[in-house]
Structures are given as structure tokens and as C-alpha cells.
Amino acid sequence: MSSPEMATRRKRKPLEESGQPPPAKVPYRSSSCRPAVTALSPESEAEKELWDFYPIDIESARLGNHGPRPVRVYADGIFDLFHAGHARMLEQAKNIFPNVYLMVGVCNDKLTHYMKGQTVMNEWERYEGLRNCRYVDEVVEDAPWIVTPDFLEIHKIDFVAHDDIPYGAKGGIDDVYKDIKAAGKFVATQRTEGVSTSDIIARLVKNYDQYVRRNLSRGYTAKELNVSFFNKTKINMQEKFDRTKKKMKDVKTLSKDLMNKGRDKSFEIINRWDERSREIIGSFLDLFGREGAINRALIDGRTIIQRAISPPRSPTHASAAYGSDYDDDEEDDDDEDNDIDDNDDDDYVNQAHGRRRQANDYSDEDLP
């Protein structure tokens, strides 16, 4: 499948243009996975009929000694672009007392646009986001901007949860929760700093070109994104430039990796040759060195030849006559013979034969 076709398939049609009805509301289920009920619905009324409503002060609510009835806590807001700050505020409201039934009021589009300004998400999207939040038990649609005593009575609300910062409104109102605080029905939650709908919109505006390029690549047209022809051309050129820049960076990285691999391979080959050369030199010295096998074999061979040329001689009259003194002299001569260097082997042999002939020339008369 080609890239344009994939981009077209990624794009989702708006609900009103798809020709399909909105998703059916999920029926009431007793499991914990069911979505929150809607205020004034049969499920909501059935919940209220389960309990006898009597006033609960804040101290009893905190201690949990107010009986089996859950404390009904109400939190309201716009909840546009539902984010982590919203979720953490609802978590605090749900756990502010030991046993809480959390109701969340969401203002409709008409009231919100008049009081606060344009929203990104429409009211149905904001309602459904709250209904599928795990902390919410009931969603109050078309919630009022200012909570009144009559509203508290209709929905059997015990306490209102919101951050403690004064929240002004049109008409010179300094704090829409002023009367609730005075009546002792207000419980404060903590804001999550750095996370808000305005912060998210600011990020989108700051990185406008990046997100426009993202949606164009996913199949949206310039008209749908309200992008002029000039800006579209500029964005396309920037996209091609960035793509080329990325390819060049990838090639540079690949070349650097190849050079590093080649250098590592060269070092490995050099180390192998060094180890191999040491082994070859060691083997050569073991064979041909001074203490090597060949030198020892030559020395042993010379010794065998010397013994073969000069065997032990037979005893003579002169040797018998002279007795042990002559034998001692002969042994001394033999010792001298053994000390002769290898280069004087021939002289040694001649001298030995001469001494034998001299000994044989002695007669018995010459002896004392």
C-alpha cells in the first residue's frame, strides 16, 4: 500500500460526517468496570433511594462515623482536553473521605463558550471522558456555573470539592464558591502545577508547524487545517529539507560506525599476529635453541661416537706391575680425556694410542 493511501486510512472522519449514530450508552452493570451513570437517570435515582439523607458535618465525614451511607461529593469543571491534572484532582476528591460517592458536573458548550471561551472538545466528548474515568460515579451534564443551594438539594450533595484558589466569573463575582465555603460544605483539593488545558494549547501553538506537518502527512488537507497555499508550500519544502538532513545524518553515523568497526578489526588482527608470532618464536627456540631438542640430540650423538672410538682397554703386564699407582694415573688420564673440547677429538685419539704402545714396550727386566 502506498504512503498516501496509508495516510488517508489513518484519518478519522468526524462523527457527524461518518453517517453513523453515536455509540449507544452502556447499560447499567454492577461490576466496577461500568461507566459512570448520568445524573437524574433511572440508575442515579435508584442510587438515591438506597439511603436516608441526613446532614453530615465535615468532621464526621473524615472520621467515617456517619453511618453506612457514602458521602456525596461534587466536583465541577469544563474538563476540556482531559489530562493528568484533571485525573489527579478527581482522585483527590474520590479519596478525600473514607467512603465517597463522587459526582462530577460538566458545563455544556453554550455556557462554557459564553463564560470562558472556545473549547477544543465538544460537550459530548467531555461528558464521555468523565463517564469513563475510574474515579467518577456519576456525571451531571449541563452543570451550572455557580452551585446554588437548590442544586445541592436536588442532587443530595454533601460537599463540593475544588482547589482553594478563588475562581472569578463575569458579573463581578470574585469567587463562585464563596457561599459554599461559608456554609462549611467546601473541601479543597490541590492543583497539579504545570499541567492545564491552557498549557497544552500553548504547546500546540508554539509547535504549530510541526503539528501541521504531522496532520498533513496523515491525510488531512490544507483546507481542513486552515493552512494557506503559501504556508503549505513552505511546510512541504521544510519537510523535504528535514528529510534530506536526516538522511545525511544517518549516512554520517553509518560511516562513523564502519570506521570504528574497521579500526576495531585492525586491532584484533594485530593482536592475533602478535600472539601467533610469540608462539612461533617459542617453538623455534624449543627446537633450535641452546637447550633445544636438536642441540641435545647432537651432544648425545657425539658422546656415543666418542665412546665407540675409545673403548676401555685390556690390562697389560706393565699395568699389573705398576699396580694401583698406574691405574690411578690412567684414571687421571681418562679424566683429562673427558675434559678435552669437541674441537680436539682427533688429538685425543692419537695420544691415547701412543700411550698404549709405550705401555706395551715395557719388559719385566725394566721393572724394579
Side-chain angles (χ1 to χ4, degrees), residues 87-160:
R88 295 184 67 177
M89 184 270 285
L90 296 175
E91 178 189 13
Q92 294 177 60
K94 179 67 176 177
N95 295 284
I96 204 161
F97 300 125
N99 185 15
V100 170
Y101 182 85
L102 181 59
M103 307 171 66
V104 180
V106 185
C107 301
N108 59 32
D109 287 344
K110 183 178 180 180
L111 180 61
T112 302
H113 296 167
Y114 173 76
M115 299 294 294
K116 194 171 184 178
Q118 184 68 33
T119 59
V120 177
M121 302 171 68
N122 60 42
E123 60 187 38
W124 178 83
E125 293 168 333
R126 293 185 284 117
Y127 296 156
E128 286 300 303
L130 269 300
R131 290 186 68 240
N132 289 279
C133 175
R134 63 182 298 183
Y135 306 115
V136 180
D137 297 300
E138 184 173 322
V139 174
V140 180
E141 299 177 355
D142 302 322
W145 200 262
I146 299 175
V147 178
T148 62
D150 292 339
F151 183 82
L152 297 178
E153 179 62 28
I154 292 172
H155 296 283
K156 305 299 181 183
I157 296 170
D158 296 310
F159 298 98
V160 177

Side-chain angles (χ1 to χ4, degrees), residues 51-73 97-101 156-160 183-187:
W51 314 106
D52 291 331
F53 290 95
Y54 45 83
I56 300 176
D57 60 79
I58 194 167
E59 189 65 25
S60 299
R62 285 175 178 166
L63 295 176
N65 58 4
H66 50 79
R69 177 174 75 83
V71 180
R72 293 170 71 88
V73 176
F97 300 125
N99 185 15
V100 170
Y101 182 85
K156 305 299 181 183
I157 296 170
D158 296 310
F159 298 98
V160 177
K185 290 182 174 292
F186 183 86
V187 287

Side-chain angles (χ1 to χ4, degrees), residues 6 10 132-133 141 168 202 228 230 321:
M6 292 180 65
R10 289 194 192 103
N132 289 279
C133 175
E141 299 177 355
S228 65
F230 174 78

